[in-house]
Amino acid sequence: MTWRFALLIEPAPADDPRTDFAATFEVVDAATPALSVGELSTQRGDGIFESIGVVDGHPQEVAAHLERLAHSARLCDLPIPNVEQWRQAIAAAAAEAPRVGEGVVKLILSRGIEHGPTPTAWVTGADAADFRGARERGIRIVTLDRGLDSGAPARAPWLLLGAKTLSYAVNMAAIREARRRGADDAIFVSSDGIVLEAPTASVILRLGDRFVTPAHDGGILPGTTQLSLFEHLASLGHETAYETIPVAALAEADAAWLVSSVRLAAPVSAIDAAPIAVDGELTAAFNRYLLSPRD
């Protein structure tokens, strides 16, 4: 059965003391129009979002996603979300999900309609795409210059490089360019040769016995799945680190993955047409953990 769900939210202030926000929700038909033509989310991409994986009806890493939603709101000068209100909205969406299988709940907070009302917010739920092939066989990657040096985020915070905004045109263009080059996905690199992130995922490298991901001070969106996986690896006694990674390190990696909330851990099989070993056993272990219930 296809899962499609939509819930409009009347955003409450962050300090609203209510414990029951059901009166602020409106379930709507996910197949029919529900937004004004004046919505700044559609006119300008002026808003933020989160995508939460749902496994067998369980929404994954809710606390981390809500923390990141609040972080993006601060960067974008949007009202800070009421955590309890959004938690209840996520629960309402997940309650409609199939009890078996994978899905995705999306949270959207928009600046609203020009000249009011503002802001607007909604939650959607849907079946996830089938990513088993990417998880098992791996994906081919090309590196793409983001066009900015690694110091740009500090010099120009208005670029919102660490926020998860609705303005995803560049991210989607990067994936299309990767496919034009015969690959499946891309890794952004800075103009001064530093590894950043993928358009919709975090990068993890295994260098010997260490697991490394790019440091967040380069305008990288903090990855909820990467963070959870690093905590899991640390609990097993593995060394993890956040570092400035030069592009040359990609060719030296013993293994590499792109990790995200819905695709989970996809091993990299080639970078710029150069093959890289896929650790199938370790990848399967990663995904068993990522498919387990995680709050």
Side-chain angles (χ1 to χ4, degrees), residues 12 17 22 51 62 64 73 84 86 89 92 94 107 127 132 148 150 192 198 203 205 242 262 285:
S51 296
V62 169
E84 184 56 31
W86 285 87
L107 321 179
D127 296 328
R132 286 175 296 181
L148 300 166
S150 56
D192 52 346
V203 178
L205 305 180
Y242 295 81
V262 181

Side-chain angles (χ1 to χ4, degrees), residues 110-125:
S110 161
R111 203 167 302 276
I113 300 169
E114 196 160 19
H115 310 305
T118 184
T120 55
W122 61 100
V123 167
T124 65

Side-chain angles (χ1 to χ4, degrees), residues 121-204:
W122 61 100
V123 167
T124 65
D127 296 328
D130 185 353
F131 289 114
R132 286 175 296 181
R135 296 170 189 167
E136 295 169 4
R137 294 189 296 272
I139 53 177
R140 298 160 297 171
I141 300 299
V142 293
T143 54
L144 296 178
D145 190 341
R146 187 178 258 175
L148 300 166
D149 66 73
S150 56
R155 291 196 314 273
W158 50 86
L159 294 176
L160 305 177
L161 294 174
K164 194 172 180 69
T165 72
L166 293 171
S167 306
Y168 252 45
V170 170
N171 303 61
M172 297 300 99
I175 293 174
R176 291 194 298 272
E177 177 62 23
R179 290 172 179 164
R180 277 192 286 268
R181 299 186 186 193
D184 304 298
D185 210 327
I187 293 176
F188 286 127
V189 299
S190 68
S191 58
D192 52 346
I194 302 300
V195 176
L196 300 173
E197 59 192 340
T200 63
S202 303
V203 178
I204 294 177

Side-chain angles (χ1 to χ4, degrees), residues 87 94 102 110 124 135 154 158 161 174 182 206 224 227 246 260:
R87 192 186 308 278
E102 296 179 50
S110 161
T124 65
R135 296 170 189 167
W158 50 86
L161 294 174
R206 180 167 66 81
T224 57
L227 176 61
S260 56

Side-chain angles (χ1 to χ4, degrees), residues 2-295:
T2 300
W3 175 40
R4 295 185 70 184
F5 179 84
L7 179 73
L8 299 181
I9 301 173
E10 181 184 335
D15 59 356
D16 190 318
R18 279 181 286 180
T19 57
D20 184 355
F21 287 93
T24 68
F25 303 151
E26 179 188 355
V27 177
V28 297
D29 185 343
T32 61
L35 298 177
S36 165
V37 293
E39 248 295 324
L40 295 178
S41 59
T42 54
Q43 287 190 0
R44 299 176 183 169
D46 194 357
I48 57 177
F49 79 103
E50 285 290 322
S51 296
I52 299 177
V54 178
V55 179
D56 298 338
H58 183 275
Q60 304 280 63
E61 302 285 355
V62 169
H65 281 285
L66 289 176
E67 182 178 338
R68 193 168 66 178
L69 186 73
H71 174 71
S72 294
R74 284 189 288 270
L75 291 179
C76 295
D77 295 320
L78 285 164
I80 303 303
N82 183 294
V83 171
E84 184 56 31
Q85 181 185 37
W86 285 87
R87 192 186 308 278
Q88 291 179 26
I90 294 164
E96 301 297 322
R99 298 299 96 182
V100 177
E102 296 179 50
V104 56
V105 167
K106 291 189 177 181
L107 321 179
I108 301 98
L109 177 62
S110 161
R111 203 167 302 276
I113 300 169
E114 196 160 19
H115 310 305
T118 184
T120 55
W122 61 100
V123 167
T124 65
D127 296 328
D130 185 353
F131 289 114
R132 286 175 296 181
R135 296 170 189 167
E136 295 169 4
R137 294 189 296 272
I139 53 177
R140 298 160 297 171
I141 300 299
V142 293
T143 54
L144 296 178
D145 190 341
R146 187 178 258 175
L148 300 166
D149 66 73
S150 56
R155 291 196 314 273
W158 50 86
L159 294 176
L160 305 177
L161 294 174
K164 194 172 180 69
T165 72
L166 293 171
S167 306
Y168 252 45
V170 170
N171 303 61
M172 297 300 99
I175 293 174
R176 291 194 298 272
E177 177 62 23
R179 290 172 179 164
R180 277 192 286 268
R181 299 186 186 193
D184 304 298
D185 210 327
I187 293 176
F188 286 127
V189 299
S190 68
S191 58
D192 52 346
I194 302 300
V195 176
L196 300 173
E197 59 192 340
T200 63
S202 303
V203 178
I204 294 177
L205 305 180
R206 180 167 66 81
L207 304 173
D209 295 328
R210 304 168 62 244
F211 293 89
V212 180
T213 196
H216 294 163
D217 57 5
I220 291 172
L221 181 73
T224 57
T225 306
Q226 171 269 312
L227 176 61
S228 181
L229 190 54
F230 264 32
E231 290 175 346
H232 175 64
L233 287 168
S235 73
L236 297 176
H238 296 288
E239 181 181 352
T240 62
Y242 295 81
E243 296 180 353
T244 299
I245 302 173
V247 175
L250 293 175
E252 301 167 0
D254 296 291
W257 296 265
L258 297 190
V259 298
S260 56
S261 298
V262 181
R263 187 170 55 184
L264 305 183
V268 175
S269 61
I271 301 176
D272 292 330
I276 181 172
V278 169
D279 190 329
E281 184 176 348
L282 185 56
T283 300
F286 283 177
N287 284 316
R288 281 195 299 271
Y289 166 71
L290 294 173
L291 286 166
S292 67
R294 292 174 292 119
D295 296 322

